[in-house]
Amino acid sequence: MSENLQEQEVIFKIKRFNPEKGFWWQEYKLKVDRFTQFTEALRRIKSEQDPTLSYRASCHMAVCGSCGMKINGEPRLACKTLVLDVVKKYNSNIVTIEPMDYFRPIKDLIVDWDEFYDRMFKVKPRLYPSKEVLEGKAEHRLKPEDQKELWKFAQCIWCGLCVSACPSVRIDPEFLGPAAHAKGYRFLADPRDTITEERMKILIDSSWRCTYCYQCFNVCPRDIEPVTAIKKTRSFTKLYKEKSEVAERGEKHTEAIFESILKTGKIAEAAVYLKTYGILQSLVDLIYMSKTGKLKYALVQERYVQNIDEIKKIMGGESK
Amino acid sequence: MEKIEYDAVIIGGGLAGLMSAHEIASAGYKVALISKVFPTRSHSAAAEGGIAAYIPGNSDPNDNPDYMTYDTVKGGDYLVDQDAAELLSNRSGEIVMLLERWGALFNRQPDGRIAVRYFGGQTYPRTRFVGDKTGMALLHTLFERVSGLNVDFYNEWFALDLVTEDKRVAGIVAMQMKTMTPFFFKTKAVVIASGGMGMLYRHTTNSYINTGDGFGIALRAGAALKDPEFVQFHPTALYPSDILISEAARGEGAILKNNKGERFMAKYAPKKLDLAPRDIVSRAIITEIREGRGFPGGYVALDLTHLGEEYIKERLALAYEAAKNFAGVDAITEPIPVRPAQHYYMGGIDVDIKGRNPDIVGLFSAGEAACVSVHGANRLGSNSLLDTLVFGQETGRAVVEFLNSSPHEPTSNFEKEAEKIVDDAYKFVKSESGVHFGEILEKLRDVMWDYVGIFRDEGGLLNALSEISKLRGMISSMYVSDKSKVYNTEFFNALELRNMLDLATVIAKAALDRKESRGAHYRTDYPDRDDNNWLKHTIAYLRGNTVEITYKPVKITRWKPEPRVY
Ligand SMILES: Cc1cc2nc3c(=O)[nH]c(=O)nc-3n(C[C@H](O)[C@H](O)[C@H](O)COP(=O)(O)OP(=O)(O)OC[C@H]3O[C@@H](n4cnc5c(N)ncnc54)[C@H](O)[C@@H]3O)c2cc1C
Ligand code: SF4
Ligand code: SF4
Ligand code: FES
């Protein structure tokens, strides 16, 4: 098996930072083998070559969420990434390591997580069971399939990689971000929880602020799929009374798409747009589109898909 | 120096510390919880297999808490305090149900009740689990619960030392890592729940942060460690990252092989083969490697390939994933590289069944940092998570009792004392040149692995003691090259090393003195258990450069020692 350790010298280019000196790049050479994780490479650099190098790591097995950083530009857990895998993928024995994007750097690869934690706590990340259960007078029975569904979203390790990769977090201060949504949904969907109304108030508006770009889905090391949690949270909108403008518009948008597909078998962009944003906003946007040359897409006449009845049948089976 | 006052201060945000915090805060007291990492990054997150619990009406109908106690006592090679083990078993169902009510997503049976699985050393199956990430699930549940209470969290704060006054707790000095500012926390009660110490050993399944700080803090304050010589090694840690490959793999039929392709366990344990107890398998693997039948780098092969893809993916998902992600090995077609690694610390701060240390009034300890003792000479799988919660809660309750009945107010001139602690910390790393922590650290880890590891003998232990004492001398000239005033990890690594060296001294001396083999403590020069002379707890103090050792009887309630044959 592993007689061939594939030992090889690798150059680690690390982006360093401290408040006194600002940013600089530093290079280290280290011999690694096919089993060496990035956390182990960093540990060896620190204890054998340069004790001033700072980074976070704890479990070395992808469960504590300490070691998020950018490796060759990709947001990764350093412990879950093998050095030679990256060398092979990029066909270069020079690898770069940088702090995660979005967060404020504190020291080398260590970034400030305070704002991230604030977001997580905003969603009240804990179960609020009934008084009877809390006092031990009643017992929870959770269906195995509910356990499975909730456990998927409960496995978030607060590593922050998804937030560092999310474009919406950067531009929309009202958006809670992917990790907080995963956490929030895990409790929103728990049949044992008693503050569903309050959770909807916290989560629903924000859930319509995600752009569905799937960055969070791509980077999450625990396969949480925060965007799926957001999608599922949106489906609670119809149960919620005090909808915000964003949520209402989002809901209309989805309805419009649904109707459009039901009618034509396709997403008729123009009709969907009109229904979502209303006449006035659509006109404003139309003028903008004609200026940018995008108008032609809005004016395309949609041809109905053949077998539209089949589609209607399928969609009718779904709960609307 | 900044000063802040609390009724109780807890060091450690793992399961044990959080559980204590919950109890104390729920009683209305003002609590600070200090942790050098954000709580969910504590080592408790890494626990995989599960937590043992007898739940009435939801256990094997033949099982009862007495069987659980018996299994624990026998597993611990009779060094277990039986009153403590009884408490552990009797409270197990209650504590697991409490975590369930707080939202822990335990795996379920089809009828919606909590599911159960077998674990090593159990007469009946009683391990409760959340997938293969039980520790993570429980830690997050408990942290989320406690974060909703009135507890002040000091995350990424490093505890330096205790301040005492007439053998009473007066406070603790800790430092915010981000700003490097020291604080004096004035308090009557301190709970040390700082976890284990795996980093003392070259090979360990533990987190990088498990440097045994709490042991150093307790020793320097004049508190004793109980049974410090008992260190557990797990036979199958993944090479080279030392990630745990669960015993379940061998339970499902995986075979250990040497570089000649031989199933070497046939030589060491002809009947039990690969499923012999942990200590025996660990010793066998090390022997193979030492005698040149290991693979380059020092490991043996754990072969699953004959089990087939479907079986492996269904029954051994975690072993498969770990091998794939962390060793780049596809266990379906190639064997997994494994070797033994340090795994758990049975020894710890000497406390009674309520978490109280007898040496210093107001000092408490819980979890892996404490020795109650429920694990004796060898811990059973899935009993440790249970220990953190049951004794975390007991300890929290004992702190409440203590605060209710203790009118004493620390009065002394603590400012000076606190300043001195910070000065001392800076002093030993103050020089402008000298050795770096890494040099000493790497030597220490080798010395511990080679001479205070799986096999021990007098010569090796004497050698270890003199090496450790040399290294301990070297830290006075240790030098921190990083002058940064934010998050100076080099400085904290140096402080961790000081704690590790204090602990190493005590472990090596206690191991030298115990002239028998019991559980995880194996002396090649005294290969048998000797109940006549050694059925007793070691109690060790560190006074300057000397270790002072006394003994304490083991509490035996109902189970008389028998030969430990499996
Ligand atoms: C790989 C692995 C798998 C395991 N699986 C199981 C299992 O399946 N079942 C089971 O029962 N047991 C298992 N164990 C054992 C169990 O996980 C641990 O014994 C237990 O989690 C210890 O919890 P704790 O609360 O005592 O300490 P930890 O969870 O280790 O917490 C220690 C805390 O102390 C803090 N701290 C330490 N030093 C300082 C300082 N100087 N200043 C401030 N804060 C400090 C840390 O930040 C941390 O928050 C496993 C262990 C390993 C290594
Ligand atoms: S899909 Fe939504 S939450 Fe995920 S990264 Fe994109 S905008 Fe952010
Ligand atoms: S959702 Fe995934 S990427 Fe985001 S913080 Fe949680 S574990 Fe990390
Ligand atoms: S070190 Fe824990 S996730 Fe990487």
Side-chain angles (χ1 to χ4, degrees), chain A residues 72-130:
Chain A
N72 274 12
E74 290 180 57
R76 307 290 299 250
L77 289 185
C79 66
K80 210 184 170 184
T81 313
L82 295 177
V83 176
L84 289 190
D85 283 354
V86 174
V87 167
K88 274 179 217 146
K89 183 174 167 191
Y90 289 87
N91 194 22
S92 159
N93 75 331
I94 303 172
V95 295
T96 61
I97 306 179
E98 297 163 78
M100 276 191 285
D101 283 337
Y102 177 73
F103 302 106
R104 187 177 70 82
I106 296 179
K107 174 86 187 292
D108 296 343
L109 303 170
I110 295 172
V111 295
D112 193 341
W113 266 326
D114 286 352
E115 193 234 27
F116 171 77
Y117 294 142
D118 287 347
R119 285 170 190 277
M120 296 302 275
F121 289 125
K122 268 194 194 140
V123 304
K124 301 202 161 214
R126 63 193 68 88
L127 191 70
Y128 291 83
S130 72

Side-chain angles (χ1 to χ4, degrees), chain A residues 143-161:
Chain A
K143 286 190 235 142
E145 55 276 22
D146 287 344
Q147 190 272 347
K148 225 173 145 194
E149 161 83 2
L150 297 174
W151 177 230
K152 177 177 174 59
F153 300 103
Q155 290 184 58
C156 170
I157 53 176
W158 301 47
C159 70
L161 283 177

